[in-house]
Amino acid sequence: MKYIYSFLLFSLVCGGLFAQVKVSGKITDASKSPVTLAVVNLQQQHSEQIRAVQTDSLGMFYFTDVDNGDYYLTITYTGYQKTEIKLNLRHDTTLFITLTDLITRLNEVTVTASKPSVENRSDKLVYNVSTSATSAGADALTVIGRVPGVKVGDNDLGIVGKGGVKVMVNERLVQLAGTDLLRYLRSLSASQLASIELIKNPGANYDAEGNSGLINITLKHSKKQGYSGSVQINDKQWLHKPTTVFGTSNYWWFNASGGINYNSAKLSAYASVNIDHDHELEGFETDIYYPKQTWLQTDTGNYRYHNLNFIAGADYRLSSKVTVGINYQGGKNIYDGSDHVNNPIINNSTGAIDSTLRTYATYHPVAISNAVNLHGTIKLDTAGAKLLLNADYFNYYRTDRSDFESNTYLANGSLNAASRNRYHDTNKQDINIYTFKADAVVPAKYARFAFGGKLSFINNYSNAFYYKKTVNDSLRYDDNLSNEFTYTENTQSVYGSISREDGKWKYQAGLRVERTETKGFSHTLNQTTVNNYTKLFPSATVSYQAGVDHILSLNFGRRVNRPTFWNLNPFKSLFTVYSYGEGNPYLQPEYNTNFEFSHTYKNRLTSAIFLNVTNSGFNNVTIARPDTNLVYTTPLNFIKTYRVGVSENYSMQLLSWLDNNNQFTFYHTDAKSALNAVKNVSGFGAYIATNNNIYFNADKSFSCAVNFWYQFPEIDHVGRSDAYYKLDLGLKASVFKKKFDVSFVINDVFRSSASAVTTIVNGVRQKYTNFQINRYALVGISYRFGNSQNKAEKQDTGNQEEKGRIH
């Protein structure tokens, strides 16, 4: 009998131990649209242990291995009321929960939950533009530079310690690079932006472009019912040192922008306009240290900038399953000004000036851009299966004309008349891009599948026609400098991915296949360059919920960085009579492989170890010849880079009056050169950044911002950079029932954000310093009007739900 009792007792104990159930559910809003990334907590009564998960892109959540008993299930998400449900769990349970918008009315004042300025999620970092006081009155390029960990260089964008990134607007890749991309981003006002997302490890459904990730700019689209809108004006004064340059201190910037929205049950329409006018300085310095002479070349640009940018679109719900929409972005911007190049040549033996080269050139670039997107979403069933369709057209048309004069002055300051060289040139770039994309999302019982394809057709025509000016100012065509170039690039890509959640484990894997066919033809040289290749771009993520507060993740991805159109064009661009830049039609793409292992604690602290490997890396190489004093710059594939490092990102959530995010990155770079003229380099680098919003009252209507970053010396391609840093300060007050915002910003307080990079080519040391003038003071005023009530229904536009597109 003793054994029977023992067996019964053992059976009861085991039954209690193994009587575990599964809790799952779907969370939606009032319009039955899934709520993504809502936090779901499950806590057993009379216990301090809490299990937490986040909803996926379909609004689903899962808890496995849950003991029988009484529990509290709590759901929280920004902008919605906290929901708490009592559960008595004795068997597997499935819940369907609808969240209620968080809107509290007090004397006609609407109080809603606010987002932090920086959200560091497992798959991306989100910078909410409107919450930072320093974003007032800025352009998109300036705001991108304030995203923790993002670096804005002289001609590119990158992630600290990881390399370059590509830019998307509303999930659509912007096929511009270098100066063209930076000027395009300057044409967008911060008032037109909702958020900037730094996507750390893009999945297979994203384009493979961007060595270390993607930056996605999400444009604003108000969800308020009926009509609403805003207007904004900003005035900026550049703070130069010296204050007077080229005989004036009147360097200023004026911006005006406005937007209007209309939302109803079926129709959502929106439009915004942005106008900029300014007078500004820009420039750089290139120092070349020859054995017998030192060349110190400064190039200062004196420009007036005029910009008009327009965004408009509409989305219409044809039925409960079908939504269609159209979006347009267009603009015109003009840089009108001149470059002043001064190049003293110093004798290393005596320290005296042997001679001085002086160049003066006028420029008048005019760029017109037009982008049209047609999109549609078709819901295939109630479980979340859907088809996303997008068709895009993008045109970028830029013209320029220039008059160029170079002279040499002897040591005594007298002009060497025989050295005079004068040119007139015109150039044009016409880019037309057509893309067609289809994406399908199919949730299944055990996994979520996604697959799709994209067709991209790029046609680029560019020319540069140089004319030598004679003594009597007549023009003689120069066929040595002139060039006419046509470039086509066609890419066909398909992808497939699978994601699955199994208890504490989450898995995602994908593969993208891209076939690229390029053809470049120089009409002047009668030279054709063809390049066809097929490449695989795998990606994978594995994460494990190690505890209530701990998540471990492992990410892997392979990406590509293709040369810009100008880099492939074998034309020459004069800097001085002794220096020029030249494209390389044989330039190949570079490939980057990324690994990262991270640990996240309470969604506040993320620690990571990363490794990046770049193959066939390219960079501009400046070759200086002591025998002829000729200096030319051309892009070449010659770098293989290994970069390993650690990063920490911490968001303080202890104080209600402080919105704080901090980042630290420490890394080692080993750059191998395939050129005999350029030696291998290696070294350490580090970066720190802190973004702070400080609120002076309970409703957060009066705040200040203090943003700071410091870049320690690092390896930049095959050069070594000096240290540089940036401090931004801002004040923001919302008055008259939060209808008016008044802002004051000082950007780059110490005028210390310019970088300097030293390289050695053929034994000749070179130092390039970008002294772009970034310090300014800005005053801005904005006014919001219209209905303040949020929409009761969310529209699905394009691939909004799966990839975060907001119009």
Side-chain angles (χ1 to χ4, degrees), residues 36-37 54-57 119-126 159 162 171 197-203 205-206 212-216 448 506 508 540-541 543 551 553-555 596 598 600 603 606 801-804:
T36 303
L37 297 177
Q54 285 185 304
T55 55
D56 59 21
S57 61
E119 299 177 71
N120 189 31
R121 303 175 185 173
S122 59
D123 58 337
K124 59 188 173 184
L125 185 145
V126 181
I159 299 177
K162 296 184 179 181
E171 300 289 349
E197 301 171 341
L198 176 57
I199 304 173
K200 306 170 186 177
N201 185 38
N205 53 325
Y206 288 98
S212 57
L214 293 167
I215 291 175
N216 179 46
R448 175 178 174 270
K506 292 183 180 180
Q508 181 173 337
T541 298
S543 64
I551 300 175
S553 297
L554 178 63
N555 296 313
E596 182 177 274
S598 65
T600 300
N603 286 328
T606 300
E801 192 168 280
E802 270 58 35
K803 297 164 56 179

Side-chain angles (χ1 to χ4, degrees), residues 60-117:
M60 301 295 296
F61 68 89
Y62 305 90
F63 292 99
T64 58
D65 304 326
V66 180
D67 294 335
N68 287 346
D70 296 324
Y71 287 82
Y72 294 107
L73 186 79
T74 307
I75 302 98
T76 56
Y77 189 69
T78 302
Y80 295 92
Q81 294 182 16
K82 181 178 179 180
T83 301
E84 186 173 273
I85 301 172
K86 258 188 175 183
L87 297 176
N88 181 275
L89 299 179
R90 294 291 182 269
H91 50 76
D92 289 352
T93 302
T94 301
L95 305 169
F96 295 91
I97 303 167
T98 301
L99 299 185
T100 304
D101 289 344
L102 179 61
I103 301 177
T104 304
R105 299 186 181 280
L106 296 173
N107 296 328
E108 297 183 351
V109 176
T110 300
V111 180
T112 60
S114 60
K115 293 182 179 180
S117 60

Side-chain angles (χ1 to χ4, degrees), residues 494-669:
V494 294
Y495 75 89
S497 67
I498 181 174
S499 58
R500 170 175 165 75
E501 298 185 20
D502 185 8
K504 297 181 179 181
W505 291 90
K506 292 183 180 180
Y507 311 91
Q508 181 173 337
L511 178 64
R512 188 178 188 90
V513 183
E514 292 193 354
R515 169 68 178 175
T516 303
E517 302 168 350
T518 71
K519 180 180 180 181
F521 177 66
S522 172
H523 299 265
T524 308
L525 303 177
N526 194 26
Q527 173 183 295
T528 301
T529 308
V530 177
N531 191 17
N532 300 326
Y533 53 92
T534 301
K535 298 294 182 180
L536 304 180
F537 300 97
S539 61
T541 298
V542 178
S543 64
Y544 174 68
Q545 185 87 36
V548 175
D549 300 323
H550 302 273
I551 300 175
L552 299 173
S553 297
L554 178 63
N555 296 313
F556 161 76
R558 185 171 186 262
R559 305 192 60 76
V560 62
N561 182 30
R562 296 185 174 92
T564 67
F565 307 131
W566 281 110
N567 278 342
L568 294 167
N569 187 345
F571 83 110
K572 294 182 177 68
S573 178
L574 286 179
F575 305 144
T576 71
V577 72
Y578 288 104
S579 60
Y580 65 90
E582 185 176 30
N584 177 9
Y586 301 102
L587 201 63
Q588 299 293 310
E590 63 183 18
Y591 299 92
N592 192 273
T593 305
N594 305 301
F595 300 89
E596 182 177 274
F597 178 71
S598 65
H599 168 257
T600 300
Y601 174 70
K602 287 188 174 181
N603 286 328
R604 296 182 185 179
L605 175 65
T606 300
S607 307
I609 301 173
F610 62 85
L611 169 66
N612 309 116
V613 181
T614 301
N615 290 290
S616 190
F618 58 79
N619 190 36
N620 283 329
V621 178
T622 299
I623 300 174
R625 297 184 55 181
D627 55 339
T628 64
N629 292 331
L630 186 66
V631 180
Y632 70 95
T633 301
T634 189
L636 299 171
N637 294 97
F638 69 102
I639 311 172
K640 184 167 186 176
T641 303
Y642 300 88
R643 185 177 285 113
V644 60
V646 296
S647 67
E648 299 283 344
N649 188 289
Y650 175 68
S651 296
M652 184 184 297
Q653 301 174 4
L654 302 178
L655 305 172
S656 61
W657 52 268
L658 177 64
D659 172 14
N660 165 265
N661 181 272
N662 308 282
Q663 181 172 326
F664 170 71
T665 306
F666 179 75
Y667 48 93
H668 181 270
T669 305

Side-chain angles (χ1 to χ4, degrees), residues 280-296:
E280 65 180 74
L281 293 174
E282 58 182 40
F284 59 89
E285 179 174 348
T286 304
D287 301 334
I288 302 176
Y289 300 89
Y290 293 111
K292 297 181 180 180
Q293 293 179 324
T294 298
W295 291 45
L296 306 177

Side-chain angles (χ1 to χ4, degrees), residues 10-21 65-68 90:
F10 177 77
S11 300
L12 290 172
V13 172
C14 290
L17 289 175
F18 291 100
Q20 294 180 323
V21 299
D65 304 326
V66 180
D67 294 335
N68 287 346
R90 294 291 182 269

